[in-house]
Amino acid sequence: MKAVPYPGVVERLAGILDCGGRIVLVTGRPARELTEIFPLARRLEVWGAHGFERRMPDGRVIRHPLPEPVSRGLDTAIEICRGMGLSRRTERKYGSVALHLRGLDPKDALSIEREVYAEWSNSVAGTGLEVRCFDGGIELLAGGRDKGSAVDTVLRETSETTAAAYLGDDQTDEDAFRAIRGRGLGVLVRLERRTTAAELWLKPPEELIEFLQNWKAAVCDERTHN
């Protein structure tokens, strides 16, 4: 909950909105959390829980239903972590359970990750849940929805002539990069490059700020000429 945008990001995004651009936030967090930590979130559409939640700008929240075996599997995952003394590092979200390992000694984190990965994988076989790594931990996710699903839906609702880009940094953003390919631009935003389906790599904060500034200028210019 202490995560904040890079300085200058909020101002550029607000400028894009003011010129008529559309901004959608896509996160693995519960959608409501972004309205608490991100200044613009209450004005925006927010897809949370890896595509299982959709919070509209008017505050309405739409949730995709979870099958009973999935809910039971998530409860089981919580019990496994509790039995390992990891309750304080475990977060239950709609459609997933996340184990946060940031701040631990890297060797300890890796050992815990491997043990929990094995326990989760064995306990939820056949439930439609999958274990995936993210930057700082691992997560047990309900199948059928992901960040790419959110991108697919947004693009279907948007004119094919509209310029679109998806910016992200995490492994879970790879689904979104694949979803937008051929329809818009996937942009990896992180200090170090890695293997990715994104087509562009930006180093924050300077290159990110420049990208957003240019996008804002293009949106405002289009509005002026229309």
Side-chain angles (χ1 to χ4, degrees), residues 105-158:
D105 179 273
K107 290 184 179 179
D108 292 337
L110 181 59
S111 176
I112 293 171
E113 180 179 308
R114 287 174 173 170
E115 185 176 359
V116 173
Y117 191 103
E119 290 287 342
W120 279 358
S121 298
N122 291 333
S123 67
V124 301
T127 63
L129 289 157
E130 59 177 320
V131 186
R132 298 181 64 173
C133 298
F134 65 90
D135 185 11
I138 60 172
E139 192 161 12
L140 184 67
L141 297 161
R145 304 289 305 178
D146 53 40
K147 292 181 178 180
S149 305
V151 171
D152 281 334
T153 300
V154 171
L155 292 177
R156 286 199 303 270
E157 298 171 349
T158 306

Side-chain angles (χ1 to χ4, degrees), residues 62-131:
I62 303 166
R63 290 188 175 93
H64 292 269
L66 297 176
E68 184 59 30
V70 169
S71 294
R72 289 199 304 269
L74 295 174
D75 290 339
T76 298
I78 289 287
E79 290 302 318
I80 289 172
C81 289
R82 183 177 292 123
M84 296 173 65
L86 298 169
S87 294
R88 294 184 64 182
R89 291 186 171 273
T90 307
E91 179 186 11
R92 172 67 187 269
K93 299 183 281 188
Y94 187 80
S96 71
V97 172
L99 176 65
H100 300 277
L101 299 173
R102 286 190 180 92
L104 292 177
D105 179 273
K107 290 184 179 179
D108 292 337
L110 181 59
S111 176
I112 293 171
E113 180 179 308
R114 287 174 173 170
E115 185 176 359
V116 173
Y117 191 103
E119 290 287 342
W120 279 358
S121 298
N122 291 333
S123 67
V124 301
T127 63
L129 289 157
E130 59 177 320
V131 186

Side-chain angles (χ1 to χ4, degrees), residues 204-218:
E206 291 84 3
E207 293 180 356
L208 171 63
I209 295 299
E210 182 181 6
F211 180 92
L212 294 176
Q213 183 64 36
N214 289 337
W215 198 281
K216 171 190 169 185

Side-chain angles (χ1 to χ4, degrees), residues 14-30:
I16 292 171
L17 283 177
D18 292 342
C19 283
R22 182 184 182 187
I23 297 173
V24 179
L25 303 180
V26 185
T27 179
R29 292 170 177 260

